[in-house]
Amino acid sequence: MKIADFSASAARASVAAALTQDRAADDITTLWSVPADLIATAEISTRQPGVAAGIPVVHEVFAQTAPEVEVETLVADGERVQAGDVLVRLTGSARSLITAERTVLNFLQRLCGIATVTDGFVQAVAGTPARILDTRKTAPGLRALDKYAVTAGGGSNHRLTLAAMVLLKENHITAAGGVTAAINAVRKGMADSGTSLPIDVEVQTVAQAREAMDAGAGWLMLDNMEVADVEEVMRMRAGRSGGSEILLEASGNVTLDRVRALADAGVDLISIGALTHSAPALDLTMLITMDAAPCPR
């Protein structure tokens, strides 16, 4: 699975916000305790196995705080790492390294955690055609980075924004007056605006799935369906002329315990909000490892 392009602009904005929040320029503890001329080397390592993601953010943090710090990347995003592995080595002003430590780790632990959880789901469905997708259940302001981390773990991105595609969910369908009415309204909107986009329709029952197919939907999100119902929808698709062109996506309450059964049922896609909203941070640490020395005069 190809890792998505890293959004440098998103990283710049997110890092700037984090540094402002931390008042990094006013790190009084470091200013008052660490000699100004001390040069040191530090290593960022992991205390547990996982998947690396977000290494470019380390470069961005120091580009904004201390461009003279040397950032040596020892693993690439998407690589599996083991406990004790060093991800990044840093050399520069001890003050700069210590002030940036928490910002660097906050980003890196989150993104590595997302990639690691994603990798677990991807491995769980290995050998099936199913692809693992993320959702928009990302941290506010961090969506581009969160979704990048999903791809580092081998997953794929669903829509990045509300403008990327049509996704008719339960509330849209209720407000529009039903599945068919919602699909027809969207088609009219597309025609009126001269737009053509994929239409994904959330359905919660086999009857709704049948109605969506009858209305010509080309993509169905099977929300919180039991595996037996998913299998029935699969048979329904198989019995239709051109049914193989309809994408079927399982979603809702997808855990590692049941993701394989959904994949074995034959769905094309499995979307999982937990990849980004519930991924535990990977346990990383940043420590000065070499004897620090004053900057030569």
Side-chain angles (χ1 to χ4, degrees), residues 104-152:
V104 165
L105 290 178
N106 282 349
F107 279 110
L108 207 52
Q109 288 181 302
R110 176 176 178 81
L111 300 183
C112 288
I114 290 170
T116 300
V117 169
T118 302
D119 178 64
F121 279 97
V122 170
Q123 295 308 311
V125 303
T128 75
R131 287 191 294 127
I132 299 297
L133 298 181
D134 57 21
T135 70
R136 286 171 44 249
K137 296 175 182 177
T138 54
L142 294 180
R143 179 168 297 160
L145 297 181
D146 282 1
K147 283 180 168 283
Y148 169 82
V150 167
T151 69

Side-chain angles (χ1 to χ4, degrees), residues 38-44 58-59 62 65-74 86 88-98 286-296:
L38 197 64
I39 299 299
T41 295
E43 292 180 343
I44 299 174
V58 180
H59 292 265
F62 287 103
T65 58
E68 71 280 2
V69 168
E70 295 178 13
V71 181
E72 182 185 0
T73 298
L74 300 178
V86 178
V88 180
R89 184 173 293 116
L90 306 160
T91 303
S93 161
R95 282 187 175 182
S96 298
L97 298 180
I98 294 169
M286 176 177 152
L287 295 173
I288 292 176
T289 58
M290 296 174 59
D291 290 340
C295 178

